[in-house]
Amino acid sequence: MFAESEARVLRRWASGDDELRAWTARRVAGEPLEHVVGRVEFDGLTLEVSAGAFVPRQRSVLLARVAAGLSAERGGGTVVEACCGVAPIAAAVARRVPSARLVACDSDAAILELARRNVPDLEVFEGTALSGLPAELRGHVDVVAAVPPYVPTGAAGLLPREAIDHEPGDALFGGGDGLEVATVLVRDAVDWLADNGAVALELNRDQAPAAIGVASDLGYAASSVVGDDGQTAVIVAVAEGRAQHEWVRIP
């Protein structure tokens, strides 16, 4: 469907005809375009990716902008990107809110090296969900943002073949209802957030009511923002019971 635009990307980054032919063959064989060229365009940035990495989706720009708005509302503050992969959300927040302290965590040490290269001032920690964060951040995090794995396990057949074959399953699948990791993040964030801190998670729109219910049961004031695609939702859960309103700004 996007052969012409993909060809432009290949031509842009290939060092010459030989590499262009080799890259084209890899793409035709089903390797993700971003893995082939080693880059992805995201929210006006060019981020490094590598074979085996989860490729940031364009729909996640919504989360990046919401996270930046939450950070700006809190004067920058400390923003943690959980399940960070190559750190697209942290990179976007760094550009939009330069005063923010950026922290990221992921369970894959090799992927964290890519995150470091994409966001030079990023503090990275290895661990699942928020488990790798240092104790000194407890009670001092202003925003937790994440694209957790949220595809229900039973929906694997609906994914593009290139995702199944070339991206890590633990970055795609979130259990039977797709909400296992999201639930852990919302639950565990209670111990890490500062007063009025917020959690922002990307999910599918159909998962939003259940996620909002989980957050509300934990004492958050929670609501959702739906993307232009009609499918992507960002769940925003604010600690200390402060009702969410129209303050989510997109700087």
Side-chain angles (χ1 to χ4, degrees):
M1 291 177 61
F2 307 104
E4 291 183 1
S5 61
E6 291 198 8
R8 284 193 292 270
V9 172
L10 291 167
R11 291 192 185 99
R12 177 184 178 189
W13 296 112
S15 61
D17 290 344
D18 289 344
E19 186 166 55
L20 179 60
R21 282 191 290 270
W23 281 3
T24 301
R26 289 169 59 188
R27 180 64 185 124
V28 169
E31 191 171 347
L33 175 68
E34 296 82 2
H35 287 176
V36 172
V37 302
R39 301 167 177 86
V40 62
E41 303 293 330
F42 183 84
D43 195 32
L45 301 165
T46 300
L47 304 178
E48 184 177 346
V49 297
S50 67
F54 177 78
V55 177
R57 290 3 182 205
Q58 295 308 307
R59 59 178 173 262
S60 298
V61 171
L62 174 63
L63 173 62
R65 294 179 177 179
V66 169
L70 291 166
S71 174
E73 168 73 10
R74 289 153 178 76
T78 298
V79 179
V80 173
E81 182 178 2
C83 310
C84 71
V86 302
I89 309 305
V93 173
R95 180 171 71 88
R96 293 172 177 274
V97 191
S99 61
R101 176 186 179 185
L102 280 307
V103 179
C105 46
D106 196 278
S107 60
D108 189 324
I111 296 299
L112 286 174
E113 289 302 317
L114 289 175
R116 279 195 183 95
R117 294 202 288 270
N118 286 327
V119 190
D121 293 330
L122 186 66
E123 301 171 45
V124 302
F125 300 95
E126 185 178 351
T128 59
L130 301 174
S131 65
L133 293 179
E136 57 98 359
L137 285 179
R138 195 174 297 275
H140 297 287
V141 174
D142 295 285
V143 180
V144 172
V147 181
Y150 61 87
V151 178
T153 305
L158 300 177
L159 293 182
R161 190 74 247 167
E162 63 188 53
I164 297 294
D165 290 345
H166 295 280
E167 293 183 304
D170 60 4
L172 297 171
F173 300 109
D177 62 358
L179 293 176
E180 286 186 4
V181 179
T183 298
V184 169
L185 284 168
V186 173
R187 182 195 68 207
D188 291 358
V190 171
D191 293 331
W192 295 98
L193 290 176
D195 289 345
N196 196 41
V199 181
L201 304 178
E202 177 186 303
L203 297 170
N204 182 274
R205 181 177 185 172
D206 291 342
Q207 296 168 315
I212 288 172
V214 169
S216 297
D217 289 345
L218 289 167
Y220 293 92
S223 62
S224 63
V225 180
V226 178
D228 292 340
D229 62 4
Q231 297 298 316
T232 304
V234 171
I235 308 305
V236 180
V238 182
E240 299 299 326
R242 177 187 175 196
Q244 194 207 354
H245 45 79
E246 295 302 321
W247 46 253
V248 176
R249 294 177 286 126
I250 299 177

